[in-house]
Amino acid sequence: MTEVVLDAVNKVYPDGFHAVRDVSLRIPDGELFVLLGPSGCGKSTLLRMVAGLEEITAGDLYLGGRFANHLAPRERDLAMVFQNGALYPHRDVRRNIAFPLEISGDDSAAAHERIVELSRALGIEETLHRLPSTLSGGQRQRVAMGRALIREPGIFLMDEPLSNLDAGLRTELRMEISALVRSLGVTTLYVTHDQTEALTLADRVAIMRQGVLQDVGTPQQVYDDPATMFVAAFLSAPPINLVRASVWADQGEGIVLGLGNNRLVLPWTDPRSSALVSRHGTYVTAGIRADALRPAADGLLAGRVRALEFHGSEWLAYAEAGLPHVDAEAPYENNEAPSPAGGRAANGHGDGGMLRRILRTAGLVADEAPAERISHGGTHRRSDVVFRLGSRSGVSAGDTVRLAVDTDRVLLFGDDGRRLDPVRR
């Protein structure tokens, strides 16, 4: 059994840069686990610490139940595939794949039969006699995978292995990687910045930002039920609509969310309502995905269609609806990336709202409507609402449309970027 456990792992470089902050993960034996995030978020650094190529500054690493902080890479029973494949140019495909066996002294007939079987599974059996310079990018990555897997490691590490390939090859290899590692049952850590790769490959995925773990779950969990605003925005194509909403607690109706000139009501029976009671008189951010909106004659939102985009199987429409938008990076402008658990971020966002509520309760200030605020950043963006259309259905640029909102799918975030309603895992 090769389980990977990281317990409060940190990486601080000599210049003081804190690349990874208190990351704790448990990756069971045989799981295909994806580390996802933008460039510079710390995902490759974390992978390199597991591989033993980077020293762990603080925290503990266990591989198969064995404390591994100080183990040399060759003692960790793992293999790694890099972005460029890193093949030996003077060796043909067979000898590239066989290199780990040569190092270990295994020159048996059974070992050479494994090379043939693995090359067949990877679709490169016909290239065994060729040099890397004569191969396509996809073939070279298959050879690199074969070389890593030939000695049957307990852990398979992959660092952006498909980023240098064109879209067609990425799709093809993505399916092959998924099928191969699952058939082998090897514990796999896969690093990527590509959301599609992560969601299609992973048994579970972890999303990172600025060295901080933002969320962990199955692909459907982190997409449907993200723990932070960053995760909701990062896992969204087209971009999620992030809208500033005022909050009012109405004894008869429930929680009333003010979206521009529109009202969205969450009844008291909605579990989100109890989480918003303490936010009465303040603002939150409502996240509404494009597929949670649909044209309807009695729709809640009204807007003028500014543009239509054809995407093959669907159209995307951009409507000016007069809603105050929020930039997805707003809670992180001070470069402190909050984790999905724990208290309010150190920057103190939202403390003013809490103070006003306390003063109102004590009768020291009047209960008044929340004042209009300038939305966080993103002033270069139009305040469009993005929604999907299965077909144009008679909708044209310049038309006025009404949009119904799938209320059950509205996500609610505080000023610190964390979900206000409970994350359901």
Side-chain angles (χ1 to χ4, degrees):
M1 178 176 179
T2 310
E3 179 184 69
V4 178
V5 176
L6 299 100
D7 184 10
V9 167
N10 285 261
K11 177 62 181 181
V12 183
Y13 287 98
D15 63 359
F17 177 63
H18 205 153
V20 175
R21 299 171 179 265
D22 294 320
V23 170
S24 295
L25 290 169
R26 176 184 172 274
I27 304 165
D29 179 50
E31 184 171 68
L32 201 170
F33 190 91
V34 175
L35 294 170
L36 173 67
S39 296
C41 72
K43 57 189 184 296
S44 289
T45 301
L46 194 63
L47 193 78
R48 289 172 64 84
M49 286 193 286
V50 173
L53 303 178
E54 293 276 4
E55 184 179 346
I56 295 174
T57 305
D60 298 326
L61 170 67
Y62 295 89
L63 302 177
R66 182 184 183 192
F67 182 67
N69 283 42
H70 306 299
L71 292 180
R74 64 179 179 276
E75 300 175 299
R76 299 189 180 204
D77 189 26
L78 50 79
M80 190 167 183
V81 173
F82 298 93
Q83 181 175 329
N84 59 8
L87 302 179
Y88 299 105
H90 61 286
R91 287 174 166 259
D92 61 20
V93 169
R94 181 187 295 274
R95 293 183 63 215
N96 261 286
I97 295 175
F99 183 74
L101 300 178
E102 294 176 15
I103 295 298
S104 64
D106 187 354
D107 193 32
S108 64
H112 285 277
E113 181 59 31
R114 282 211 314 275
I115 294 174
V116 174
E117 291 175 359
L118 188 55
S119 65
R120 186 179 300 126
L122 290 167
I124 54 174
E125 185 180 12
E126 301 301 320
T127 69
L128 288 174
H129 64 285
R130 292 166 57 183
L131 292 174
S133 60
T134 69
L135 304 177
S136 68
Q139 289 170 329
R140 286 194 293 271
Q141 282 300 81
R142 289 183 176 95
V143 176
M145 290 174 58
R147 186 180 60 190
L149 292 170
I150 190 63
R151 61 183 184 84
E152 301 177 346
I155 305 169
F156 190 25
L157 308 180
M158 308 187 77
D159 191 2
E160 303 268 14
L162 307 182
S163 60
N164 288 341
L165 306 179
D166 60 43
L169 271 178
R170 282 202 303 271
T171 301
E172 180 183 344
L173 266 183
R174 192 169 66 226
M175 292 187 294
E176 291 179 2
I177 289 171
S178 175
L180 183 63
V181 299
R182 285 186 168 88
S183 67
L184 295 173
V186 59
T187 307
T188 302
L189 275 71
Y190 187 107
V191 163
T192 183
H193 65 275
D194 187 298
Q195 299 94 319
T196 301
E197 275 183 34
L199 296 179
T200 54
L201 271 175
D203 293 323
R204 285 190 305 146
V205 58
I207 300 95
M208 295 183 67
R209 184 188 185 278
Q210 293 186 356
V212 177
L213 191 63
Q214 296 286 301
D215 204 355
V216 183
T218 67
Q220 186 167 1
Q221 285 174 336
V222 296
Y223 181 85
D224 290 342
D225 202 22
T228 69
M229 188 190 304
F230 171 78
V231 174
F234 194 72
L235 295 177
S236 190
I240 189 172
N241 300 295
L242 296 173
V243 182
R244 192 170 74 254
S246 59
V247 180
W248 287 98
D250 184 281
Q251 186 173 358
E253 291 186 285
I255 295 295
V256 179
L257 298 175
L259 304 173
N261 296 321
N262 309 283
R263 297 166 78 251
L264 181 65
V265 179
L266 303 179
W268 288 117
T269 54
D270 191 311
R272 291 169 293 182
S273 295
S274 58
L276 292 176
V277 170
S278 62
R279 299 278 171 163
H280 171 76
T282 67
Y283 286 94
V284 299
T285 297
I288 310 172
R289 296 198 187 276
D291 51 4
L293 296 167
R294 67 185 186 282
D298 58 348
L300 171 71
L301 306 177
R304 185 180 66 86
V305 177
R306 184 178 63 83
L308 291 164
E309 290 181 350
F310 181 57
H311 287 255
S313 61
E314 66 180 5
W315 288 80
L316 291 181
Y318 297 78
E320 296 174 334
L323 300 182
H325 277 237
V326 175
D327 194 304
E329 289 294 312
Y332 314 102
E333 287 173 352
N334 66 344
N335 293 323
E336 289 293 331
S339 62
R344 197 174 296 275
N347 58 19
H349 284 317
D351 289 348
M354 179 65 77
L355 178 59
R356 285 193 299 273
R357 290 195 296 275
I358 293 172
L359 292 176
R360 278 199 301 273
T361 302
L364 299 178
V365 298
D367 193 9
E368 57 185 8
E372 183 68 15
R373 298 187 301 181
I374 298 174
S375 63
H376 291 296
T379 53
H380 62 285
R381 289 182 54 205
R382 285 180 176 268
S383 56
D384 291 334
V385 171
V386 186
F387 62 99
R388 283 191 165 107
L389 294 168
S391 64
R392 288 190 63 166
S393 304
V395 177
S396 301
D399 290 352
T400 297
V401 295
R402 298 201 68 87
L403 298 172
V405 181
D406 186 350
T407 307
D408 290 342
R409 297 182 59 198
V410 173
L411 304 168
L412 300 168
F413 305 95
D415 285 345
D416 58 4
R418 283 190 280 263
R419 277 279 293 282
L420 295 174
D421 49 320
V423 176
R424 303 173 297 277
R425 296 289 166 81

